[in-house]
Amino acid sequence: GEAPVWVHTVMIDARAFGPIRSLEFSESILMATSKVLGVRARPALSLLLCSLAAACAARESHAGGSACLGDLDGTSEVAAADLSILLNAWGSADPIADIDASGNVDASDLSMLLGSWGKCGPTLPIEVELAAVTASSYPWATHFDCVNRDDLLVIRIDPIRFSDLVGQSFEAFIIENRSALDWETNRILVDVRGYSEEVWVGATLESSTVIMNIGTVVQPGLGDSPGRGFDLVIDVDRDGLLSSGDLIDGLGDGAGFWFMKDTAGVGPHAATTIASYDVNDPDILDSMELERIYYPSDIATLTPRPLVIISHGNGHNYAWYDYLGTHLARWGYVVMSHQNDTVPGIETASTTTLEHTESFIAQMATIGGGVLNGHIDTHRIAWIGHSRGGEGIARAYDRMFDGTFTSPNYVIGDIKLLISIAPTDFLGTNVADPHGVPFMLLYGAADGDVCGCPDSDIPDSFNVFERASGMRQSTYIHGADHNDFNCCGTNDFAGPAGTALGNTEVQDVTKGATLAMIRRVIENDRSTEEFLWRQYESLRPASVAATTTVINEWRPATANVVMIDSFQTNSATTTSSAGELVTFSGIANVIEGVQNDNNLTFTWATTDPFNGATRGRTTDTTRAFAFNWTTASAMTWTVPLASRNFTTSRFVSLRAAQGSRHPNTVALLGDLSFTVVLTDELGVASAVSSNTLAGGVEEPYQRTGYGTGTGWQNAMEAIRVPLSSFIAGATTIDMTRIASISVRVGGTDGSAQGRLVIDDVQVERE
């Protein structure tokens, strides 16, 4: 045209820049550069920039990448601010803007800046699980979220995934938990201990696991929560900021880890007790009108508190639960324990629970002179019941579910949680039914009353548990009897000599488990969840003895589960409930069926393959899978095509129990171990032993009776393996295309022999 054409050559040195990020250039850049090069340069410059953007390959982000040339303001991004700095220094020898160190800020510096436009290296800090506990075999550390005061916190940096960090040391920071928004607005690293620690990235997973000092310098717990959340940061570039290339555990709204108070210990509040209050309600039998009430002494200063109702069992007393009422009040809850009409049966017990809840809410303005008025959140209610009271609360909920009971003061949606302690099962299927409300069962293996015996369904507490269709948890305590759960009931211990725990220890377990479940369900407090499912050998309330055996069983809400095999449908052993192929190698006596011991004894018999299973009546539908082995064996479930992307999940899990009194169980008495294997569509496999969880499938409680032999109920427990364990060491398995899940036993994969009952093979989201 009329003006001379400018030809400007840009050279990009690959040695300096590496692979070039795809570029985006806005009109503002063209306007800014035009001020320097002249308006006639715009068409040529525009063409040049578009050509660069089209020709450049996308740059791969990598851990610990260095800042790119052109990042003049140190933000790890070349943007308009950097361009402005360069243009303002045009023609000078400013060392910041003189990118090519030529002594003059000119077109060469401009071209280098534009060639690096965008984020430098990783666009964000790298979010990765760091907090862990040590493991005795691959992957040498398991990523968990909870740490007790006296437990070891370790950090593990995968030396394969972060190979560019191997052989180097970095600063590790423990930061008070920040939300994602907080991290956006404040990236300054301030360690809560007053100092950071040096961590070394070794060449192996083992050598990259480092113990962090926390228990002696930081207090656990925060307010009414027993957990105090922290984020972990590895400051790769040592700039004291959370920046690109740094590693962080806890970047989102969840904590990197929780530092825990003793969940069975004293809470942050003093507690006040109203020893006896008479509701004087004509709808309640006159002899059943008394209540005992516990609440935080500083309730006037608190936001409205959730309400916990305790319904005692037959022959028990409403004043026998001070240990639990006081404990929960000290952690910020209002608790009411009431007289319960249990003698006629479960129906009257359920009525008493329903009516006492209604009367208590109606009389809040007068109870204790009105001290509770306006301070109870009646839309967050938990019911706790013991024995007949434990079945009674399930029946009460069922009556509200069926619409046969309604109240002007509360609705079914206000009942957020049921906790049954050794409940009876008089009413049976479809009546003693928690439905989909979160449900917890506490049970003692030495119970001499509601015994879990094979000759009757009435004392089989797990029948009620198995009917719960929502989030559910069981806490099964070896050496606990029926009245260890209250202060003053008859000693009915029925276990082996020397295994009795006594009231104090059982009540410590109960206090810790109950608080954990209430916090998790009613407060959505994630800090307590691992106390509900981790192996007790790995995590327990601090005041509970290490010698106390407790088995945790856990199932999250079904919305968070991808079910591989529930064994509820497709009863052929070679077909999963998802309709996919199941294969076996080496295992014997494979069977699917209802978890119901089909005779009157616990004596092992081949005609009773679910011997020891007291988890359902013949009218219940709780099904499972059983097998035994004496050689290296495996079973494999095919994963449905639509469910093969495991990257959005956190665990692969199942629940399992040893078969009581089976010859293989008796021959190798002790915790049973196995290996879980994931295999992708290309046949690449990764295997993790159940031993990495710090405990295997617990041996049956060695109680005798009901036939020959030793061993009580089949005690199911949760086995949840973090998916991060399968990719440790950067195995080449493709977690977006997992084709199968296997359980291997015998040989090098686990216990040499045994009998297992397995149920609910699934993949779980957070």
Side-chain angles (χ1 to χ4, degrees):
E2 297 177 359
V5 177
W6 288 28
V7 178
H8 183 67
T9 302
V10 177
M11 179 179 72
I12 301 175
D13 187 341
R15 293 170 298 177
F17 284 84
I20 306 300
R21 180 186 304 278
S22 59
L23 306 176
E24 291 182 5
F25 298 95
S26 68
E27 183 68 11
S28 62
I29 299 172
L30 299 180
M31 291 294 293
T33 54
S34 297
K35 293 179 180 179
V36 177
L37 300 180
V39 70
R40 294 187 179 93
R42 285 192 62 190
L45 182 59
S46 179
L47 177 62
L48 166 68
L49 299 181
C50 289
S51 298
L52 279 172
C56 293
R59 181 175 183 175
E60 293 288 335
S61 295
H62 64 285
S66 60
C68 51
L69 296 176
D71 177 23
L72 307 184
D73 60 358
T75 60
S76 296
E77 180 179 17
V78 180
D82 304 292
L83 180 59
S84 177
I85 292 171
L86 187 144
L87 296 180
N88 288 332
W90 193 265
S92 73
D94 185 341
I96 295 177
D98 185 17
I99 299 173
D100 64 357
S102 66
N104 186 41
V105 179
D106 55 17
S108 175
D109 303 296
L110 175 64
S111 67
M112 294 175 74
L113 183 146
L114 296 177
S116 296
W117 194 266
K119 296 285 187 181
C120 303
T123 59
L124 293 170
I126 299 167
E127 189 167 13
V128 60
E129 289 187 278
L130 296 170
V133 298
T134 57
S136 59
S137 59
Y138 171 87
W140 305 110
T142 304
H143 293 295
F144 290 133
D145 292 337
C146 282
V147 179
N148 276 331
R149 185 185 185 92
D150 296 327
D151 293 342
L152 291 179
L153 167 68
V154 302
I155 282 182
R156 204 269 305 283
I157 304 171
D158 193 320
I160 307 301
R161 179 179 178 186
F162 301 104
S163 58
D164 53 339
L165 304 184
V166 171
Q168 303 176 59
S169 62
F170 305 95
E171 285 188 276
F173 288 81
I174 298 177
I175 311 292
E176 200 83 49
N177 176 234
R178 299 177 189 172
S179 68
L181 179 60
D182 290 338
W183 275 116
E184 283 293 322
T185 57
N186 178 16
R187 297 195 171 223
I188 299 173
L189 302 179
V190 179
D191 197 296
V192 294
R193 301 167 298 175
Y195 61 89
S196 59
E197 272 185 87
E198 291 285 319
V199 296
W200 183 268
V201 183
T204 65
L205 288 170
E206 291 177 87
S207 61
S208 294
T209 302
V210 180
I211 297 173
M212 298 289 288
N213 180 29
I214 181 170
T216 60
V217 291
V218 176
Q219 293 298 315
L222 188 64
D224 285 349
S225 175
R228 182 180 176 188
F230 295 102
D231 299 335
L232 285 170
V233 175
I234 305 299
D235 189 14
V236 173
D237 56 10
R238 292 180 176 271
D239 64 352
L241 301 171
L242 180 66
S243 52
S244 294
D246 291 342
L247 311 184
I248 179 170
D249 189 352
L251 181 62
D253 290 335
F257 73 95
W258 304 98
F259 193 39
M260 304 300 299
K261 280 185 177 179
D262 182 4
T263 53
V266 176
H269 304 273
T272 298
T273 301
I274 299 175
S276 184
Y277 174 76
D278 191 339
V279 295
N280 193 26
D281 188 331
D283 291 331
I284 302 175
L285 190 68
D286 287 346
S287 60
M288 296 293 162
E289 291 184 327
L290 297 181
E291 298 176 348
R292 193 172 179 88
I293 300 161
Y294 315 80
Y295 61 89
S297 301
D298 57 347
I299 193 168
T301 68
L302 304 178
T303 57
R305 301 287 86 195
L307 173 63
V308 180
I309 307 292
I310 299 177
S311 304
H312 66 73
N314 196 44
H316 299 169
N317 187 287
Y318 75 108
W320 288 2
Y321 298 88
D322 281 354
Y323 81 95
L324 190 54
T326 301
H327 179 66
L328 294 176
R330 285 172 172 167
W331 284 97
Y333 297 95
V334 175
V335 183
M336 180 269 283
S337 179
H338 63 86
Q339 288 183 305
N340 202 11
D341 191 12
T342 59
V343 173
I346 305 306
E347 199 71 11
T348 55
S350 70
T351 298
T352 319
T353 296
L354 292 163
E355 294 291 355
H356 266 283
T357 303
E358 180 175 293
S359 297
F360 184 83
I361 294 172
Q363 297 179 33
M364 280 192 300
T366 57
I367 295 172
V371 66
L372 304 178
N373 195 35
H375 298 297
I376 298 178
D377 183 350
T378 59
H379 300 299
R380 293 190 294 165
I381 301 172
W383 283 341
I384 301 176
H386 186 189
S387 195
R388 291 192 186 187
E391 183 182 358
I393 65 170
R395 173 55 177 154
Y397 190 86
D398 179 69
R399 289 171 65 183
M400 296 191 76
F401 185 89
D402 293 341
T404 58
F405 177 88
T406 58
S407 169
N409 297 334
Y410 66 103
V411 297
I412 191 170
D414 297 329
I415 309 301
K416 302 299 184 184
L417 172 65
L418 305 183
I419 300 177
S420 289
I421 303 172
T424 56
D425 185 28
F426 283 96
L427 301 182
T429 309
N430 299 325
V431 182
D433 190 346
H435 298 279
V437 69
F439 181 79
M440 181 184 210
L441 171 69
L442 293 129
Y443 188 78
D447 194 319
D449 183 0
V450 184
C451 59
C453 307
D455 63 333
S456 171
D457 290 314
I458 293 171
D460 291 349
S461 295
F462 280 93
N463 295 355
V464 183
F465 174 80
E466 291 287 345
R467 294 174 194 137
S469 59
M471 176 193 291
R472 67 187 189 192
Q473 197 274 348
S474 73
T475 299
Y476 184 83
I477 311 168
H478 283 197
D481 67 46
H482 194 69
N483 288 314
D484 282 335
F485 295 99
N486 59 43
C487 71
C488 309
T490 303
N491 183 356
D492 62 4
F493 177 79
T499 66
L501 293 181
N503 289 54
T504 300
E505 184 71 0
V506 173
Q507 289 172 14
D508 276 347
V509 174
T510 303
K511 288 188 292 185
T514 301
L515 177 64
M517 190 69 173
I518 290 174
R519 290 290 313 179
R520 174 62 186 91
V521 173
I522 292 184
E523 313 283 358
N524 195 29
D525 185 349
R526 300 306 297 268
S527 75
T528 63
E529 183 175 303
E530 286 189 0
F531 283 88
L532 301 171
W533 64 263
R534 267 174 65 181
Q535 304 289 90
Y536 221 67
E537 297 92 330
S538 172
L539 183 70
R540 67 182 65 219
S543 60
V544 175
T547 54
T548 297
T549 299
V550 175
I551 299 172
N552 284 330
E553 185 177 347
W554 166 262
R555 186 182 67 189
T558 54
N560 292 328
V561 169
V562 176
M563 184 60 68
I564 305 301
D565 201 347
S566 67
F567 305 98
Q568 294 302 111
T569 57
N570 297 327
S571 59
T573 58
T574 55
T575 306
S576 70
S577 59
E580 300 290 342
L581 180 67
V582 182
T583 59
F584 313 100
S585 172
I587 62 178
N589 302 316
V590 177
I591 190 168
E592 286 188 29
V594 174
Q595 295 192 74
N596 177 266
D597 190 298
N598 68 14
N599 57 34
L600 303 182
T601 77
F602 280 146
T603 304
W604 169 253
T606 56
T607 55
D608 187 10
F610 283 95
N611 182 68
T614 56
R615 302 182 75 94
R617 295 169 177 255
T618 55
T619 51
D620 286 319
T621 58
T622 174
R623 296 172 57 85
F625 176 91
F627 64 95
N628 49 270
W629 71 95
T630 55
T631 187
S633 306
M635 59 184 305
T636 300
W637 291 267
T638 301
V639 178
L641 282 172
S643 304
R644 292 188 170 184
N645 184 356
F646 283 18
T647 59
T648 59
S649 299
R650 192 179 178 196
F651 302 98
V652 59
S653 75
L654 52 85
R655 54 188 187 130
Q658 294 198 48
S660 185
R661 303 192 189 182
H662 187 276
N664 289 8
T665 301
V666 175
L668 200 63
L669 194 63
D671 283 9
L672 186 151
S673 63
F674 56 87
T675 297
V676 178
V677 184
L678 302 184
T679 305
D680 68 20
E681 293 174 355
L682 296 179
V684 178
S686 182
V688 176
S689 171
S690 61
N691 288 331
T692 64
L693 306 178
V697 181
E698 192 69 39
E699 65 194 71
Y701 183 57
Q702 294 298 287
R703 180 175 170 179
T704 58
Y706 288 90
T708 61
T710 304
W712 208 238
Q713 300 148 302
N714 296 344
M716 301 288 276
E717 60 187 295
I719 305 293
R720 300 177 96 200
V721 185
L723 290 172
S724 61
S725 293
F726 293 94
I727 58 174
T731 61
T732 57
I733 190 169
D734 185 349
M735 297 296 281
T736 68
R737 297 192 297 169
I738 299 300
S740 67
I741 300 171
S742 301
V743 169
R744 297 198 308 225
V745 291
T748 60
D749 289 313
S751 299
Q753 60 181 294
R755 181 165 179 83
L756 265 182
V757 180
I758 287 179
D759 198 5
D760 292 339
V761 180
Q762 57 196 25
V763 181
E764 300 175 12
R765 301 181 183 92
E766 182 61 72

